[in-house]
Amino acid sequence: QVQLVESGGGLVQPGGSLRLSCAASGSILSISDMGWYRQAIGQRRELVARILSGGNKNYADSVKGRFTISRDGAKNTVYLQMNSLKPEDTNVYYCNAIVSGYNGFRGSYWGQGTQVTVSS
């Protein structure tokens, strides 16, 4: 089993910053991609940022220049630094990881989600 645990969400004023963290644990042989998605009620889950095993990064156009994704391979952890936050960034943010286990199974895993609210 693999678990992803997110932290760092909360309430922040417009223009403020937050840093999300997501730590993967369990029967992990290797992790290829890790990323952050967000989903509002009644909406599709959308990509915020993704970092590939080789270090390449992809960002949604709406967050380019404001958000930065990074990862610590030794800790199986991915981070999302969010600066210049806007009210439209308010959402539940989900962590995702593509994990290969010792049993030979390779799967996509999700965290439980963390709420980010941007409001004055």
Side-chain angles (χ1 to χ4, degrees):
Q1 285 288 349
V2 174
Q3 298 82 37
L4 300 182
V5 178
E6 299 132 335
S7 61
L11 173 65
V12 64
Q13 292 186 344
S17 298
L18 282 175
R19 188 190 192 212
L20 304 183
S21 299
C22 172
S25 63
S27 181
I28 298 172
L29 177 62
S30 64
I31 301 177
S32 55
D33 305 355
M34 299 187 81
W36 291 94
Y37 293 71
R38 60 190 182 188
Q39 183 175 24
I41 296 175
Q43 302 294 320
R44 294 180 61 183
R45 190 168 294 186
E46 63 175 10
L47 173 70
V48 177
R50 193 155 193 89
I51 183 166
L52 309 183
S53 56
N56 289 338
K57 303 174 184 180
N58 298 315
Y59 294 95
D61 288 342
S62 59
V63 307
K64 284 181 180 177
R66 299 189 298 121
F67 291 10
T68 302
I69 189 170
S70 60
R71 66 189 286 181
D72 184 332
K75 296 181 180 180
N76 289 332
T77 299
V78 63
Y79 306 96
L80 186 68
Q81 179 66 44
M82 304 186 294
N83 298 329
S84 302
L85 282 160
K86 305 175 181 180
E88 50 264 42
D89 294 318
T90 295
N91 236 310
V92 179
Y93 285 71
Y94 295 89
C95 173
N96 174 262
I98 308 299
V99 178
S100 295
Y102 287 101
N103 59 3
F105 178 74
R106 185 172 183 264
S108 176
Y109 296 88
W110 293 90
Q112 79 285 359
T114 185
Q115 177 70 46
V116 171
T117 302
V118 184
S119 175
S120 55

